[in-house]
Amino acid sequence: MIAIPAIDLRDGACVQLVGGSYAAEKVRVEDPLDALTQWRRHGFRAFHVVDLDAALGKGSNADAIFQLTAHERGLTFSVGGGVRDSDRVETVLSGGAEFVVVGTRAIEDAGWLADIANRFPGRVVVAADVKGREVVTRGWTAGSHRDIREVLAAFEPLPLGGLLVTAVHKEGQLSGVDLPLMGEVASTSRHRLYASGGVTTMEDLRALAAAGAYGAVIGMALYTGRLDASAVAREFAG
């Protein structure tokens, strides 16, 4: 399993939110490149970038994203947040990202998801953001009234690059991961699982690896120093 630092963008800065609430911003790094270079010094090579403003339809951090993906050759970026049309998918992938992460429209429009997954096989990652067991969309603000198992079943035939499952109810709270949820996804889906939400300790990471996760996205625990970044990179940087 690989550990992947999160670089969440808001108003051009790198931030961390508590519990998925845009009113509860706990960490802010004004220049996202500072965050990238910090994690690179520890040895991380894969990064997950989210445009929080685009996710809410309140702006774009496209310039900051391009600065990140163009900064150094040989790094792997997954980029998402507000990717809801095919042109944006193409722009993200041509702009230096290895993977494009799609959430809201992928959940709501199965035909569109099938189209882009087949046009870009292995490079589309679907974000399933979960509160309890319900998949939520539109920057975690709208419920779908659909259980995670029902949503995952629709993805099985597609040539995806993976599933990014975020336990929103654990996000940013440093309270541990939702291991039953992640274990269920890993055991029922053929796609790679990237787990997110609540990673707090090395034991959390080891438990996710044992449960079958391919990757773990880490935010708050790294930015607050709760996790020793060097220790995480030594064991899980890939």
Coordinates of all heavy atoms in Angstrom, one line a residue, residues 19-20 103 107 126-152 155 163-173 177-178 180-182 184-185 193-198:
G19 N -14.1 17.4 9.4 CA -15.4 16.8 9.2 C -16.1 17.2 7.9 O -17.3 17.1 7.8
G20 N -15.3 17.6 6.9 CA -15.9 18.0 5.6 C -16.6 19.3 5.7 O -17.3 19.7 4.7
G103 N -16.4 12.7 -9.1 CA -17.3 12.4 -8.0 C -18.7 12.6 -8.4 O -19.4 11.7 -8.8
I107 N -21.3 9.8 -10.0 CA -22.4 9.2 -9.2 C -23.8 9.4 -9.8 O -24.6 8.5 -9.8 CB -22.4 9.7 -7.8 CG1 -21.0 9.5 -7.1 CG2 -23.5 9.1 -6.9 CD1 -20.6 8.1 -6.9
V126 N -12.9 7.1 -9.5 CA -14.2 7.6 -9.0 C -14.2 7.8 -7.5 O -13.8 6.9 -6.7 CB -15.4 6.6 -9.3 CG1 -16.7 7.1 -8.7 CG2 -15.5 6.4 -10.8
A127 N -14.6 9.0 -7.1 CA -14.6 9.3 -5.7 C -16.0 9.0 -5.1 O -17.0 9.6 -5.6 CB -14.3 10.8 -5.5
A128 N -16.1 8.1 -4.2 CA -17.3 7.9 -3.5 C -17.1 8.4 -2.0 O -16.4 7.8 -1.2 CB -17.6 6.4 -3.5
D129 N -17.8 9.5 -1.8 CA -17.7 10.1 -0.5 C -18.9 9.6 0.4 O -20.0 9.7 0.0 CB -17.7 11.7 -0.6 CG -16.6 12.2 -1.4 OD1 -15.5 11.5 -1.5 OD2 -16.7 13.3 -2.0
V130 N -18.5 9.1 1.6 CA -19.6 8.4 2.3 C -19.7 9.0 3.7 O -18.7 9.3 4.4 CB -19.1 6.9 2.5 CG1 -20.2 6.1 3.2 CG2 -18.9 6.3 1.1
K131 N -21.0 9.2 4.1 CA -21.3 9.6 5.5 C -22.2 8.5 6.0 O -23.3 8.2 5.6 CB -22.2 10.9 5.5 CG -21.3 12.1 5.3 CD -22.2 13.4 5.5 CE -21.4 14.7 5.4 NZ -22.2 15.9 5.6
G132 N -21.6 7.7 7.0 CA -22.2 6.5 7.5 C -22.1 5.5 6.4 O -21.0 4.9 6.2
R133 N -23.2 5.2 5.6 CA -23.1 4.4 4.4 C -23.6 5.1 3.2 O -23.6 4.5 2.1 CB -23.8 3.1 4.7 CG -23.2 2.1 5.7 CD -23.9 0.8 5.7 NE -23.9 0.2 4.4 CZ -22.9 -0.6 4.0 NH1 -21.8 -0.9 4.8 NH2 -22.9 -1.2 2.8
E134 N -24.2 6.3 3.4 CA -24.7 7.0 2.2 C -23.7 7.7 1.5 O -22.8 8.4 2.0 CB -25.8 8.0 2.7 CG -26.5 8.7 1.6 CD -27.4 9.9 2.1 OE1 -27.2 10.3 3.2 OE2 -28.2 10.3 1.3
V135 N -23.7 7.6 0.1 CA -22.8 8.3 -0.7 C -23.3 9.8 -0.9 O -24.5 10.0 -1.1 CB -22.7 7.7 -2.1 CG1 -21.9 8.5 -3.1 CG2 -22.1 6.3 -2.0
V136 N -22.5 10.7 -0.7 CA -22.8 12.1 -0.8 C -22.1 12.8 -1.9 O -21.0 12.3 -2.3 CB -22.6 12.9 0.6 CG1 -23.4 12.3 1.7 CG2 -21.1 12.8 1.0
T137 N -22.6 13.9 -2.4 CA -22.0 14.5 -3.6 C -22.0 16.0 -3.4 O -22.3 16.6 -2.3 CB -22.9 14.2 -4.8 OG1 -24.2 14.7 -4.6 CG2 -22.9 12.7 -5.1
R138 N -21.5 16.8 -4.4 CA -21.5 18.2 -4.5 C -20.7 18.8 -3.2 O -21.2 19.6 -2.5 CB -22.9 18.8 -4.6 CG -23.6 18.3 -5.8 CD -24.9 19.0 -6.2 NE -25.4 18.3 -7.4 CZ -25.1 18.7 -8.6 NH1 -24.2 19.6 -8.8 NH2 -25.5 18.0 -9.7
G139 N -19.5 18.3 -3.2 CA -18.6 18.8 -2.1 C -19.1 18.4 -0.7 O -19.0 19.2 0.3
W140 N -19.7 17.2 -0.6 CA -20.2 16.6 0.6 C -21.5 17.3 1.1 O -21.9 17.1 2.3 CB -19.1 16.7 1.7 CG -17.9 16.0 1.4 CD1 -17.7 15.1 0.4 CD2 -16.6 16.2 2.0 NE1 -16.3 14.7 0.4 CE2 -15.7 15.4 1.3 CE3 -16.1 17.1 3.0 CZ2 -14.3 15.3 1.7 CZ3 -14.8 17.0 3.4 CH2 -13.9 16.2 2.7
T141 N -22.1 18.1 0.3 CA -23.3 18.9 0.8 C -24.6 18.3 0.4 O -25.7 18.7 0.9 CB -23.3 20.3 0.2 OG1 -23.4 20.3 -1.2 CG2 -22.0 21.0 0.6
A142 N -24.6 17.3 -0.5 CA -25.9 16.7 -1.0 C -25.9 15.2 -0.8 O -24.9 14.5 -1.1 CB -26.1 17.0 -2.4
G143 N -27.0 14.6 -0.2 CA -27.1 13.2 -0.1 C -27.7 12.6 -1.4 O -28.4 13.2 -2.1
S144 N -27.3 11.3 -1.6 CA -27.7 10.6 -2.8 C -28.9 9.6 -2.5 O -29.5 9.1 -3.4 CB -26.6 9.9 -3.5 OG -26.2 8.8 -2.7
H145 N -29.0 9.3 -1.2 CA -30.0 8.3 -0.8 C -29.6 6.9 -1.3 O -30.5 6.1 -1.5 CB -31.4 8.7 -1.1 CG -31.8 10.1 -0.7 ND1 -32.0 10.4 0.6 CD2 -32.1 11.2 -1.4 CE1 -32.3 11.7 0.7 NE2 -32.4 12.2 -0.5
R146 N -28.3 6.8 -1.6 CA -27.8 5.5 -2.1 C -26.8 4.9 -1.2 O -25.8 5.6 -0.8 CB -27.3 5.6 -3.5 CG -28.4 6.1 -4.5 CD -27.7 6.5 -5.9 NE -27.2 5.3 -6.6 CZ -26.4 5.4 -7.6 NH1 -26.1 6.5 -8.1 NH2 -26.0 4.3 -8.2
D147 N -26.9 3.6 -0.9 CA -25.9 2.9 -0.1 C -24.6 2.7 -0.9 O -24.6 2.5 -2.1 CB -26.5 1.6 0.4 CG -25.5 0.8 1.3 OD1 -25.6 1.1 2.5 OD2 -24.7 0.0 0.8
I148 N -23.5 2.7 -0.2 CA -22.2 2.5 -0.9 C -22.1 1.3 -1.7 O -21.6 1.2 -2.8 CB -21.0 2.6 0.1 CG1 -19.7 2.4 -0.5 CG2 -21.2 1.6 1.3 CD1 -19.3 3.5 -1.5
R149 N -22.7 0.2 -1.2 CA -22.7 -1.1 -1.9 C -23.4 -1.0 -3.3 O -22.9 -1.5 -4.3 CB -23.2 -2.2 -1.1 CG -23.1 -3.6 -1.7 CD -23.6 -4.7 -0.8 NE -22.8 -4.9 0.3 CZ -21.9 -5.9 0.4 NH1 -21.7 -6.7 -0.7 NH2 -21.2 -6.1 1.4
E150 N -24.5 -0.3 -3.3 CA -25.3 -0.1 -4.5 C -24.5 0.7 -5.5 O -24.5 0.4 -6.7 CB -26.6 0.6 -4.2 CG -27.4 1.0 -5.4 CD -28.5 2.0 -5.1 OE1 -28.8 2.2 -4.0 OE2 -29.1 2.5 -6.1
V151 N -23.8 1.7 -5.0 CA -23.1 2.6 -5.9 C -21.9 1.8 -6.5 O -21.6 1.9 -7.7 CB -22.6 3.9 -5.2 CG1 -21.6 4.7 -6.0 CG2 -23.8 4.7 -4.8
L152 N -21.2 1.1 -5.7 CA -20.0 0.3 -6.1 C -20.4 -0.7 -7.2 O -19.6 -0.9 -8.1 CB -19.3 -0.3 -5.0 CG -18.7 0.6 -3.9 CD1 -18.1 -0.3 -2.8 CD2 -17.6 1.5 -4.6
F155 N -20.1 0.3 -10.8 CA -18.7 0.6 -11.3 C -18.0 -0.6 -11.7 O -17.0 -0.5 -12.4 CB -17.9 1.3 -10.2 CG -18.4 2.6 -9.7 CD1 -18.2 3.0 -8.4 CD2 -19.2 3.4 -10.5 CE1 -18.7 4.2 -7.9 CE2 -19.8 4.6 -10.1 CZ -19.5 5.0 -8.8
L163 N -11.0 3.4 -7.1 CA -12.0 4.0 -6.3 C -11.4 4.7 -5.1 O -10.6 4.2 -4.4 CB -13.0 3.0 -5.8 CG -13.7 2.0 -6.8 CD1 -14.4 0.9 -6.0 CD2 -14.6 2.8 -7.7
L164 N -11.8 6.0 -5.0 CA -11.3 6.8 -3.8 C -12.5 6.9 -2.9 O -13.5 7.6 -3.1 CB -10.9 8.2 -4.2 CG -10.6 9.1 -3.1 CD1 -9.4 8.6 -2.2 CD2 -10.3 10.5 -3.6
V165 N -12.5 6.1 -1.8 CA -13.6 6.1 -0.8 C -13.2 6.9 0.4 O -12.2 6.6 1.1 CB -13.9 4.7 -0.4 CG1 -15.1 4.7 0.6 CG2 -14.4 3.9 -1.7
T166 N -13.9 8.0 0.6 CA -13.7 8.9 1.7 C -14.8 8.7 2.8 O -15.9 8.9 2.5 CB -13.6 10.3 1.3 OG1 -12.5 10.5 0.4 CG2 -13.4 11.3 2.5
A167 N -14.4 8.4 4.0 CA -15.3 8.4 5.1 C -15.4 9.8 5.6 O -14.6 10.2 6.5 CB -14.8 7.4 6.2
V168 N -16.4 10.5 5.1 CA -16.5 11.9 5.4 C -16.7 12.1 6.9 O -16.3 13.1 7.5 CB -17.7 12.6 4.6 CG1 -17.9 14.0 5.0 CG2 -17.4 12.5 3.1
H169 N -17.4 11.2 7.6 CA -17.7 11.3 9.0 C -16.4 11.1 9.8 O -16.5 11.4 11.0 CB -18.7 10.2 9.4 CG -18.4 8.9 8.9 ND1 -18.6 8.5 7.6 CD2 -18.0 7.7 9.5 CE1 -18.3 7.2 7.4 NE2 -17.9 6.8 8.6
K170 N -15.3 10.7 9.2 CA -14.0 10.6 9.9 C -13.1 11.7 9.5 O -12.0 11.9 10.1 CB -13.4 9.2 9.6 CG -14.2 8.1 10.1 CD -13.9 7.9 11.6 CE -14.4 6.6 12.2 NZ -14.1 6.5 13.6
E171 N -13.4 12.4 8.4 CA -12.5 13.3 7.7 C -12.0 14.4 8.7 O -12.8 15.2 9.3 CB -13.1 14.0 6.5 CG -12.2 14.9 5.7 CD -11.2 14.1 4.9 OE1 -11.3 12.9 4.8 OE2 -10.3 14.7 4.4
G172 N -10.6 14.5 8.9 CA -10.0 15.6 9.6 C -10.2 15.6 11.1 O -9.8 16.5 11.8
Q173 N -10.7 14.5 11.6 CA -11.0 14.5 13.1 C -10.0 13.7 13.9 O -10.1 13.7 15.1 CB -12.4 13.9 13.3 CG -13.5 14.7 12.6 CD -14.9 14.2 12.9 OE1 -15.3 14.0 14.1 NE2 -15.7 14.0 11.9
V177 N -9.7 5.4 11.3 CA -10.4 5.1 10.0 C -11.7 4.3 10.2 O -11.9 3.7 11.3 CB -9.5 4.4 9.0 CG1 -8.2 5.2 8.7 CG2 -9.1 3.0 9.6
D178 N -12.5 4.3 9.2 CA -13.7 3.4 9.2 C -13.3 2.1 8.6 O -13.5 1.9 7.4 CB -14.9 4.1 8.4 CG -16.2 3.3 8.6 OD1 -16.1 2.1 8.8 OD2 -17.2 3.9 8.4
P180 N -14.3 -1.1 8.9 CA -15.4 -2.0 8.3 C -15.8 -1.5 6.9 O -16.0 -2.3 6.0 CB -16.5 -1.9 9.3 CG -15.9 -1.5 10.6 CD -14.7 -0.6 10.3
L181 N -15.9 -0.2 6.7 CA -16.3 0.3 5.4 C -15.3 0.0 4.4 O -15.5 -0.5 3.3 CB -16.5 1.8 5.5 CG -16.7 2.6 4.2 CD1 -18.0 2.1 3.5 CD2 -16.7 4.1 4.4
M182 N -14.0 0.3 4.7 CA -12.9 0.1 3.8 C -12.7 -1.4 3.5 O -12.5 -1.8 2.3 CB -11.6 0.7 4.3 CG -11.7 2.2 4.5 SD -12.3 3.1 3.0 CE -12.5 4.8 3.7
E184 N -15.0 -3.7 3.6 CA -16.1 -4.1 2.7 C -15.9 -3.7 1.2 O -16.1 -4.5 0.3 CB -17.4 -3.5 3.2 CG -18.6 -3.8 2.3 CD -19.9 -3.2 2.8 OE1 -20.0 -2.7 4.0 OE2 -20.9 -3.2 2.1
V185 N -15.4 -2.5 1.0 CA -15.1 -2.1 -0.3 C -14.0 -2.9 -1.0 O -14.2 -3.4 -2.1 CB -14.8 -0.6 -0.4 CG1 -14.4 -0.2 -1.8 CG2 -15.9 0.3 0.1
L193 N -8.6 0.2 -4.3 CA -9.2 1.1 -3.3 C -8.2 2.0 -2.7 O -7.1 1.7 -2.2 CB -9.7 0.2 -2.1 CG -10.1 1.0 -0.9 CD1 -11.2 2.0 -1.2 CD2 -10.5 0.1 0.3
Y194 N -8.5 3.3 -2.9 CA -7.7 4.4 -2.2 C -8.6 4.8 -1.1 O -9.7 5.4 -1.3 CB -7.5 5.5 -3.2 CG -6.6 5.2 -4.4 CD1 -7.1 4.7 -5.5 CD2 -5.2 5.3 -4.3 CE1 -6.3 4.4 -6.6 CE2 -4.4 5.0 -5.3 CZ -4.9 4.5 -6.5 OH -4.1 4.2 -7.6
A195 N -8.1 4.6 0.1 CA -8.9 4.9 1.3 C -8.6 6.3 1.9 O -7.4 6.7 1.9 CB -8.7 3.9 2.4
S196 N -9.6 7.0 2.3 CA -9.4 8.4 2.9 C -10.3 8.6 4.0 O -11.5 8.2 4.0 CB -9.6 9.4 1.7 OG -9.5 10.7 2.2
G197 N -9.9 9.4 5.0 CA -10.7 9.9 6.1 C -10.3 9.2 7.4 O -10.5 8.1 7.6
G198 N -9.7 10.1 8.2 CA -9.5 9.6 9.6 C -8.1 9.0 9.9 O -7.9 8.5 11.0

